């Protein structure tokens, strides 16, 4: 389904529009206050952009350094060309430890490759421990709609009703947020203490030291990263950073741009394994999943700089009205409009580059200064050149115009014929265009005709 068709469906849901509009408005205002506290915010953005550009320019080298450092610290590194390979690796590790269940830290990369479904097919249940991810998981008909807050399209009353008929087992929870959260806490606590294998994503991984980092706000991540015997981290190859010092920049940019906090409540950093402290077996799965293909595009590769803060979603007028489910991707909003078509292939999501008004608000808030509007225009051009049929009405019309404008004689003949295109004839010839627009009336006499009559007679 195209973005336009999916958006028509979500636009009919007035409650969804109210929920998304209220939530994004609150996050947007909080972010503005948090960012205003830092006098060097623009300098931090410049630094973040420069670090990411350097990383992408030396990506093979940084990944090899990361592999060596993780291995030296007692971890095991796996390379996955695509989602199928990554899912097979994770399933194999779980089976080696006799696990029929894994607990998960919120991870967009695992959602991207459909890991939950792949593990389920192998007889392994993946339990989401992030509150918003759990909300989505409990309703088989639901889908994520935001990078940071996957259940942003739901309000408190809807979540309470969902919990009461699932994890609360019919218990009345009331409308207090604390009571609703407590139901999730009680449901998850036993799992934290008993499930032997955890799966996480990664916000960053430092090539210099082999350190992997996850930032979050609920504490579920800390439980998953420290209590199970085995930890498996799936990471897109673009998340690597060259040096430990680079974290100084990103641990300031990310929390203020995402949750509008000065720092994340839980910042977990670990390097390999240590006897008697945390997981005793660590696996890092490095996922390509189309990222090398994105890197080959000199313009589009900037999409790989993304640190998944969601600031662009919260300011986007299109996202605010249609919600994230219209994008039919785990990466919605402006960043999804440039990332999804490149990861999947333009032919799989050709309409997403048009899911934008090109207002530029996304570029203004991006903490690493990704020029999303320019990449959107670039991808639109690629879709037209590489994917769209030459027999569409638009393509045929453009070819006709190019032929008419190629010579003076044809151009003047087209001007004379244009006078026949007024009224009903124009609407019949251009039904899509004239359904919403008035066709300009051609003048009775062109400038060239006037010039000949006045100057050449």
């Amino acid at each position: 389904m195209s973005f336009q068709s999916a958006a028509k469906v979500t636009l009919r849901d007035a409650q969804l529009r109210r929920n998304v509009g209220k939530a994004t408005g609150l996050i947007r205002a909080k972010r503005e206050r948090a960012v205003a506290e830092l006098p060097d915010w623009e300098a931090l953005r410049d630094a973040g952009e420069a670090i990411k550009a350097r990383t992408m320019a030396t990506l093979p080298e940084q990944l090899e350094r990361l592999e060596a450092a993780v291995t030296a610290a007692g971890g095991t590194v796996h390379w996955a060309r695509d989602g199928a390979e990554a899912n097979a690796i994770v399933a194999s590790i779980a089976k080696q430890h006799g696990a029929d269940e894994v607990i998960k830290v919120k991870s967009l990369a695992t959602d991207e490759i459909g890991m939950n479904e792949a593990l389920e097919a192998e007889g392994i249940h993946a339990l989401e421990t992030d509150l918003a991810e759990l909300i989505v998981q409990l309703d088989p008909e639901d889908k994520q709609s935001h990078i940071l807050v996957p259940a942003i399209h739901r309000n408190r009353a809807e979540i309470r009703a969902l919990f009461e008929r699932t994890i609360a087992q019919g218990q009345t929870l009331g409308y207090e947020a604390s009571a609703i959260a407590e139901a999730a806490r009680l449901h998850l606590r036993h799992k934290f203490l008993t499930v032997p294998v955890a799966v996480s994503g990664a916000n960053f991984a430092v090539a210099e030291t082999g350190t992997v980092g996850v930032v979050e706000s609920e504490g579920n991540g800390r439980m998953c990263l420290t209590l199970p015997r085995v930890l498996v981290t799936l990471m897109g190859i673009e998340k690597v950073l060259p040096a430990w010092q680079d974290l100084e920049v990103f641990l300031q940019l990310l929390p203020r741009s995402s949750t509008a906090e000065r720092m994340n409540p839980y910042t977990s950093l670990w390097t390999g394994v240590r006897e008697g402290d945390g997981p005793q077996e660590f696996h890092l799965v490095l996922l390509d999943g189309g990222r090398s293909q994105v890197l080959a595009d000199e313009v589009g590769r900037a999409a790989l700089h993304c640190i998944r803060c969601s600031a662009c979603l919260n300011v986007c007028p299109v996202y605010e009205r249609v919600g994230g489910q219209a994008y039919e991707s785990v990466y919605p909003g402006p960043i999804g409009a440039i990332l999804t078509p490149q990861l999947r292939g333009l032919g799989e999501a050709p309409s997403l580059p048009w899911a934008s008004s090109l207002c530029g608000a996304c570029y203004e808030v991006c903490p690493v200064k990704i020029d999303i509007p320019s990449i959107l225009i670039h991808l639109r051009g690629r879709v037209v050149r590489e994917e769209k049929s030459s027999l569409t009405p638009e393509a045929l019309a453009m070819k006709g115009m190019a032929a008419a404008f190629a010579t003076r004689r044809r151009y003047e003949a087209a001007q004379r014929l244009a006078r026949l295109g007024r009224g009903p004839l124009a609407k019949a010839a251009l039904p899509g265009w004239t359904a919403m627009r008035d066709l300009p009336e051609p003048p009775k006499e062109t400038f060239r005709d006037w010039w000949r009559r006045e100057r050449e007679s």
Side-chain angles (χ1 to χ4, degrees), residues 106-377:
K106 182 178 182 298
S107 166
L108 287 166
T110 62
D111 295 336
E112 175 191 328
I113 64 174
M115 180 178 289
N116 289 10
E117 295 78 9
L119 292 179
E120 202 72 46
E122 297 290 334
I124 303 166
H125 176 64
L127 176 65
E128 299 287 355
T129 64
D130 174 83
L131 181 58
E133 290 280 7
L134 178 63
I135 291 167
V136 174
Q137 186 179 43
L138 288 174
D139 185 349
E141 303 298 320
D142 206 359
K143 294 180 181 178
Q144 300 105 321
S145 62
H146 193 275
I147 287 176
L148 184 69
V149 194
I152 196 172
H153 54 285
R154 286 183 174 268
N155 60 32
R156 187 183 302 182
E158 293 170 330
I159 296 168
R160 176 186 65 86
L162 174 66
F163 278 14
E164 286 180 348
R165 66 176 184 266
T166 54
I167 58 176
Q169 299 178 343
Q171 176 187 354
T172 301
L173 298 177
Y175 285 93
E176 289 297 322
S178 58
I180 298 171
E182 180 67 10
R185 198 174 292 119
L186 293 173
H187 172 69
L188 294 172
R189 189 159 294 162
H190 175 70
K191 300 295 184 181
F192 288 139
L193 296 172
T194 58
V195 176
V197 179
V199 177
S200 83
N203 291 102
F204 311 105
V206 181
E208 178 184 18
T209 62
T211 303
V212 182
V214 167
V215 297
E216 38 107 11
S217 300
E218 298 173 17
N220 65 296
R222 181 67 58 82
M223 296 284 195
C224 291
L225 298 171
T226 56
L227 294 177
R229 295 194 306 274
V230 180
L231 173 61
V232 184
T233 296
L234 176 72
M235 187 189 90
I237 56 176
E238 80 279 14
K239 296 295 187 69
V240 65
L241 296 176
W244 174 264
Q245 188 175 2
D246 296 333
L247 286 174
E248 176 191 358
V249 174
F250 291 102
L251 291 180
Q252 294 183 77
L253 288 172
L254 181 55
R256 291 176 189 267
S257 295
S258 55
T259 54
E261 296 170 302
R262 295 183 179 94
M263 65 180 293
N264 294 98
Y266 296 90
T267 300
S268 300
L269 301 167
W270 68 96
T271 306
V273 296
R274 180 176 297 177
E275 186 176 353
D277 182 12
Q280 296 302 288
E281 189 173 317
F282 172 56
H283 298 265
L284 177 62
V285 183
L286 297 174
L287 172 68
D288 187 311
R291 287 158 175 80
S292 294
Q293 177 178 304
V294 180
L295 192 64
D297 187 322
E298 293 185 2
V299 177
R301 70 174 59 157
L304 296 177
H305 296 187
C306 176
I307 59 174
R308 310 293 193 266
C309 70
S310 76
C312 62
L313 281 70
N314 300 326
V315 299
C316 177
V318 176
Y319 175 86
E320 184 176 3
R321 285 157 181 79
V322 305
Q325 294 176 350
Y327 295 81
E328 298 191 317
S329 167
V330 296
Y331 303 114
I335 188 62
I338 63 172
L339 191 56
T340 301
Q342 296 191 88
L343 290 177
R344 291 183 184 172
L346 289 178
E348 296 299 316
S351 63
L352 282 183
W354 278 267
S356 169
S357 65
L358 299 179
C359 67
C362 49
Y363 173 59
E364 293 175 2
V365 300
C366 178
V368 290
K369 303 183 76 169
I370 301 172
D371 190 352
I372 294 177
S374 293
I375 299 175
L376 285 166
I377 293 171

